[in-house]
Amino acid sequence: MSIAGTPVTEAYVIALDVGGTAMKGAVVGPDLRPVLTLNRPTPVRDGPQAVVEAIREVLADLDTRALTRGIDPVRAGVVVPGIVDEELGEVRFSANLGFEDLPLARRLKGRLPVTVGHDVRAGGLAEAVLGAAAGTRDVAFLAVGTGIAAALISDDHLLTGSGWAGEIGHLSVEQPGPPCACGATGCLEALASASAIAAELSARTGRPVAGAAEVADRLLVGDRHARAVWDRAVEALAIALAALTTVLAPETVVIGGGLAESGELLLDPLQRRLAARLTFQRPPRLVKAALGERAGCIGAALLAQRAMGR
């Protein structure tokens, strides 16, 4: 999928970013600005069928509200976490939503055709078109939150790998290393995700840690345990980014998700450690994501707009 430029269209689309806890939806204009928004909880505990029905209801609600205002959307874009085949509109597997081998685009089609995409790839697309990497042809977008995943853009094309591309969180970076939810050990996600960092500091101190922001706060006041946890996470990220730089040579690496909120506290040491691991490779520029929680929804709108030109 080429990302060059913003699609030329006068149409409105519906965009929906479906997460494990909440769904963020919008009716989006040709300029990619939302004219209507709607947030609802994701009923994961009620099972995958309930999640599909909830998505259908949000899409229908946004469509009805738009029509009431004289706006006629022509397509919907829906992005979800997991292994997503954008070409087929299928979710091969999503642990967060309970989906497996689900033809989601077909299940959601009603008045409007639906384009289905991956949430992190959609966020990376948005950052490359409108955000921190706008105008860059080679981009890696890392979402570092409860887990870690990447969107990879090479020569202005978004790499999908039939849904399998971007699982950098399961790259082995430390052996022996801590167990990962995927079944392996020493994965990047098990060392450097926001949840892993918080859990590690809690284990070291015996006190509950609310999240990565608390780890950063303790680091700033000189907590030696926080320093050890943070340094280990930064080193793990540097190892993974060195491999990514060697293979794909991104000009810009955009860091998003909860850990990115620490800003230069993360980016400065990560840039130094990455540079120390590179020899002949082109060192990428590391930047904080610009679009925040809006990236997935904007990316879903972009996917819907681009699908209209196929």
Side-chain angles (χ1 to χ4, degrees), residues 199-295:
E200 177 63 15
L201 182 57
S202 182
R204 284 174 179 255
T205 62
R207 300 192 303 271
V209 176
E214 184 177 337
V215 181
D217 289 343
R218 293 192 189 183
L219 178 64
L220 288 171
V221 297
D223 186 310
R224 63 184 179 87
H225 296 296
R227 168 56 65 188
V229 171
W230 196 264
D231 286 350
R232 188 186 190 196
V234 170
E235 182 66 13
L237 284 165
I239 293 170
L241 287 179
L244 187 64
T245 298
T246 303
V247 175
L248 286 176
E251 299 171 68
T252 302
V253 174
V254 181
I255 309 291
L259 204 62
E261 295 307 308
S262 58
E264 298 308 313
L265 193 63
L266 171 68
L267 296 179
D268 283 352
L270 181 55
Q271 186 85 67
R272 290 194 301 271
R273 292 197 184 205
L274 174 59
R277 287 187 165 273
L278 302 179
T279 54
F280 67 91
Q281 302 93 330
R282 174 178 64 181
R285 178 176 64 106
L286 304 188
V287 296
K288 179 183 173 183
L291 301 176
E293 292 186 350
R294 299 182 297 132

Side-chain angles (χ1 to χ4, degrees), residues 101-118:
D101 295 327
L102 177 68
L104 187 58
R106 191 167 74 244
R107 291 281 300 275
L108 295 177
K109 185 177 179 181
R111 189 185 84 84
L112 302 178
V114 178
T115 298
V116 169
H118 183 262

Side-chain angles (χ1 to χ4, degrees), residues 27 36 48 74 105 107 111 125 140 142 160 187 249 255 285 291 298:
V27 176
L36 288 169
V74 299
R107 291 281 300 275
R111 189 185 84 84
L125 177 63
L142 263 66
T160 65
C187 291
I255 309 291
R285 178 176 64 106
L291 301 176
I298 293 171

Side-chain angles (χ1 to χ4, degrees), residues 9-24:
T9 174
E10 295 301 319
Y12 285 79
V13 298
I14 293 173
L16 184 62
D17 180 8
V18 182
T21 57
M23 297 182 283
K24 298 183 283 290

